[in-house]
Amino acid sequence: MRASLRRLANPVSTVTSSSPLRPAPLALLPPIPLYRRLFRAHRHMLGPEERVLGDQYIRSEFRQHRAVENPVHIIGFLTEWQLYAQKLEGDAWKGEKMDTSKLDKMSDEQIGQLYELMQAIQNKTEQDDTSGKPAMGGDDDSKT
């Protein structure tokens, strides 16, 4: 993401929604503040193992998208990460199922990666169940 494209993430004006049924558009954070917010959310909301995995994923995704010049792609990328941060900070993500429209937009490679992640989580949960340890994230109430 080139420095000149950072302007795309800044709201130009505070436009209100024309329809009461549709929420006002989301003001996107620029890439670097969003990047920091994601790490902060992981630090406060995830367990140690989840945090390591999540932090590595954030780093790799932002590095891969550093050279992207397509404004539509940049806006989509930043929007999805900001929605993720909002969900994570609000605990709305626990037990939530993935939207089928997002699955339909994924490539075969992305679906394969998602399947591998699901298998890794299931294997980890099974290992923790057999060893008597709590599952990833656990039910630690001391995080609040």
Side-chain angles (χ1 to χ4, degrees), residues 41 45-47 50 83-98 136-137 143:
M45 303 302 292
L46 299 179
E50 294 169 314
L83 289 172
Y84 167 75
Q86 289 173 345
K87 282 186 178 184
L88 190 62
E89 290 166 345
D91 272 350
W93 57 278
K94 293 181 180 177
E96 184 178 339
K97 295 192 182 283
M98 182 173 263
M136 285 176 62
K143 293 180 187 175

Short mmCIF file of all heavy atoms in Angstrom, two decimals, residues 41 45-47 50 83-98 136-137 143:
data_model
loop_
_atom_site.label_atom_id
_atom_site.label_comp_id
_atom_site.label_asym_id
_atom_site.label_seq_id
_atom_site.Cartn_x
_atom_site.Cartn_y
_atom_site.Cartn_z
N ALA A 41 -5.94 -5.72 19.95
CA ALA A 41 -7.11 -6.58 20.16
C ALA A 41 -6.67 -8.01 20.44
O ALA A 41 -7.22 -8.67 21.33
CB ALA A 41 -8.03 -6.53 18.95
N MET A 45 -7.65 -9.91 23.84
CA MET A 45 -8.80 -10.79 23.68
C MET A 45 -8.47 -12.27 23.42
O MET A 45 -9.35 -13.11 23.56
CB MET A 45 -9.69 -10.29 22.54
CG MET A 45 -10.16 -8.85 22.70
SD MET A 45 -11.08 -8.54 24.21
CE MET A 45 -12.56 -9.47 23.92
N LEU A 46 -7.25 -12.59 23.02
CA LEU A 46 -6.93 -13.95 22.65
C LEU A 46 -5.98 -14.60 23.66
O LEU A 46 -5.20 -13.91 24.31
CB LEU A 46 -6.28 -14.00 21.26
CG LEU A 46 -7.12 -13.48 20.10
CD1 LEU A 46 -6.33 -13.58 18.80
CD2 LEU A 46 -8.44 -14.22 19.98
N GLY A 47 -6.05 -15.93 23.71
CA GLY A 47 -5.11 -16.68 24.53
C GLY A 47 -3.74 -16.70 23.86
O GLY A 47 -3.60 -16.31 22.69
N GLU A 50 -3.54 -18.69 20.44
CA GLU A 50 -4.33 -18.01 19.42
C GLU A 50 -3.65 -16.72 18.99
O GLU A 50 -3.65 -16.36 17.82
CB GLU A 50 -5.74 -17.69 19.94
CG GLU A 50 -6.58 -18.91 20.22
CD GLU A 50 -7.84 -18.54 20.98
OE1 GLU A 50 -7.73 -17.77 21.97
OE2 GLU A 50 -8.91 -19.01 20.60
N LEU A 83 -13.58 -4.69 10.31
CA LEU A 83 -14.73 -5.44 10.82
C LEU A 83 -14.28 -6.56 11.75
O LEU A 83 -14.91 -6.82 12.78
CB LEU A 83 -15.55 -6.00 9.65
CG LEU A 83 -16.32 -4.98 8.83
CD1 LEU A 83 -16.94 -5.63 7.60
CD2 LEU A 83 -17.39 -4.30 9.68
N TYR A 84 -13.18 -7.23 11.39
CA TYR A 84 -12.62 -8.28 12.24
C TYR A 84 -12.23 -7.70 13.61
O TYR A 84 -12.55 -8.27 14.65
CB TYR A 84 -11.41 -8.92 11.55
CG TYR A 84 -10.59 -9.78 12.46
CD1 TYR A 84 -11.02 -11.05 12.83
CD2 TYR A 84 -9.37 -9.34 12.97
CE1 TYR A 84 -10.26 -11.84 13.68
CE2 TYR A 84 -8.60 -10.13 13.80
CZ TYR A 84 -9.06 -11.39 14.16
OH TYR A 84 -8.30 -12.15 15.00
N ALA A 85 -11.56 -6.56 13.60
CA ALA A 85 -11.13 -5.92 14.85
C ALA A 85 -12.35 -5.56 15.71
O ALA A 85 -12.35 -5.78 16.93
CB ALA A 85 -10.30 -4.68 14.57
N GLN A 86 -13.39 -5.03 15.09
CA GLN A 86 -14.59 -4.66 15.84
C GLN A 86 -15.27 -5.88 16.45
O GLN A 86 -15.72 -5.85 17.59
CB GLN A 86 -15.56 -3.90 14.95
CG GLN A 86 -15.07 -2.51 14.59
CD GLN A 86 -15.95 -1.83 13.56
OE1 GLN A 86 -16.76 -2.47 12.90
NE2 GLN A 86 -15.78 -0.53 13.42
N LYS A 87 -15.35 -6.95 15.69
CA LYS A 87 -15.96 -8.17 16.22
C LYS A 87 -15.14 -8.74 17.36
O LYS A 87 -15.67 -9.16 18.38
CB LYS A 87 -16.11 -9.22 15.12
CG LYS A 87 -17.26 -8.98 14.21
CD LYS A 87 -17.43 -10.14 13.26
CE LYS A 87 -18.63 -9.91 12.38
NZ LYS A 87 -18.88 -11.05 11.51
N LEU A 88 -13.83 -8.76 17.19
CA LEU A 88 -12.95 -9.31 18.21
C LEU A 88 -13.03 -8.50 19.50
O LEU A 88 -13.08 -9.07 20.59
CB LEU A 88 -11.51 -9.33 17.69
CG LEU A 88 -10.49 -10.08 18.52
CD1 LEU A 88 -10.87 -11.55 18.60
CD2 LEU A 88 -9.12 -9.94 17.91
N GLU A 89 -13.07 -7.19 19.39
CA GLU A 89 -13.15 -6.34 20.57
C GLU A 89 -14.50 -6.45 21.27
O GLU A 89 -14.60 -6.20 22.46
CB GLU A 89 -12.89 -4.88 20.17
CG GLU A 89 -11.45 -4.64 19.78
CD GLU A 89 -11.24 -3.32 19.06
OE1 GLU A 89 -12.23 -2.70 18.62
OE2 GLU A 89 -10.08 -2.92 18.94
N GLY A 90 -15.53 -6.85 20.54
CA GLY A 90 -16.86 -6.94 21.13
C GLY A 90 -17.28 -8.33 21.52
O GLY A 90 -18.40 -8.55 21.92
N ASP A 91 -16.42 -9.32 21.39
CA ASP A 91 -16.73 -10.72 21.71
C ASP A 91 -17.89 -11.29 20.88
O ASP A 91 -18.46 -12.30 21.24
CB ASP A 91 -17.06 -10.90 23.20
CG ASP A 91 -15.83 -11.15 24.03
OD1 ASP A 91 -14.76 -11.39 23.44
OD2 ASP A 91 -15.94 -11.13 25.26
N ALA A 92 -18.25 -10.65 19.78
CA ALA A 92 -19.35 -11.13 18.96
C ALA A 92 -18.93 -12.30 18.07
O ALA A 92 -19.76 -12.93 17.45
CB ALA A 92 -19.89 -10.00 18.08
N TRP A 93 -17.66 -12.58 18.00
CA TRP A 93 -17.14 -13.59 17.08
C TRP A 93 -17.22 -15.01 17.64
O TRP A 93 -17.16 -15.98 16.89
CB TRP A 93 -15.69 -13.27 16.74
CG TRP A 93 -14.81 -13.18 17.94
CD1 TRP A 93 -14.67 -12.11 18.77
CD2 TRP A 93 -14.00 -14.21 18.49
NE1 TRP A 93 -13.79 -12.40 19.79
CE2 TRP A 93 -13.37 -13.68 19.64
CE3 TRP A 93 -13.72 -15.51 18.11
CZ2 TRP A 93 -12.49 -14.43 20.41
CZ3 TRP A 93 -12.84 -16.25 18.88
CH2 TRP A 93 -12.24 -15.71 20.02
N LYS A 94 -17.36 -15.16 18.94
CA LYS A 94 -17.34 -16.49 19.54
C LYS A 94 -18.58 -17.26 19.15
O LYS A 94 -19.70 -16.84 19.37
CB LYS A 94 -17.23 -16.39 21.06
CG LYS A 94 -15.89 -15.83 21.50
CD LYS A 94 -15.77 -15.74 22.99
CE LYS A 94 -14.42 -15.17 23.36
NZ LYS A 94 -14.27 -15.01 24.80
N GLY A 95 -18.36 -18.41 18.53
CA GLY A 95 -19.46 -19.28 18.12
C GLY A 95 -20.16 -18.84 16.86
O GLY A 95 -21.13 -19.45 16.43
N GLU A 96 -19.69 -17.79 16.23
CA GLU A 96 -20.33 -17.27 15.03
C GLU A 96 -19.92 -18.10 13.81
O GLU A 96 -18.78 -18.50 13.67
CB GLU A 96 -19.93 -15.82 14.81
CG GLU A 96 -20.63 -15.18 13.63
CD GLU A 96 -20.23 -13.72 13.48
OE1 GLU A 96 -19.76 -13.12 14.45
OE2 GLU A 96 -20.39 -13.20 12.37
N LYS A 97 -20.87 -18.33 12.93
CA LYS A 97 -20.60 -19.06 11.69
C LYS A 97 -20.22 -18.07 10.60
O LYS A 97 -20.65 -16.93 10.61
CB LYS A 97 -21.81 -19.86 11.27
CG LYS A 97 -22.17 -20.97 12.24
CD LYS A 97 -23.19 -21.90 11.64
CE LYS A 97 -23.59 -22.97 12.62
NZ LYS A 97 -22.63 -24.01 12.76
N MET A 98 -19.41 -18.54 9.66
CA MET A 98 -18.96 -17.69 8.57
C MET A 98 -20.10 -17.45 7.59
O MET A 98 -20.89 -18.35 7.29
CB MET A 98 -17.78 -18.34 7.85
CG MET A 98 -17.22 -17.50 6.74
SD MET A 98 -15.75 -18.21 6.08
CE MET A 98 -14.55 -17.28 6.97
N MET A 136 -8.10 -24.15 23.34
CA MET A 136 -7.50 -22.85 22.99
C MET A 136 -8.41 -21.72 23.44
O MET A 136 -9.60 -21.74 23.18
CB MET A 136 -7.29 -22.75 21.48
CG MET A 136 -6.13 -23.57 21.00
SD MET A 136 -5.94 -23.53 19.22
CE MET A 136 -5.65 -21.82 18.91
N GLY A 137 -7.83 -20.72 24.07
CA GLY A 137 -8.61 -19.58 24.53
C GLY A 137 -9.19 -19.83 25.91
O GLY A 137 -9.29 -18.95 26.71
N LYS A 143 -9.52 -12.14 31.94
CA LYS A 143 -9.18 -11.22 30.84
C LYS A 143 -10.05 -9.98 30.84
O LYS A 143 -9.78 -9.05 30.11
CB LYS A 143 -9.30 -11.93 29.49
CG LYS A 143 -8.28 -13.02 29.32
CD LYS A 143 -8.46 -13.67 27.98
CE LYS A 143 -7.55 -14.87 27.86
NZ LYS A 143 -7.76 -15.60 26.65
#
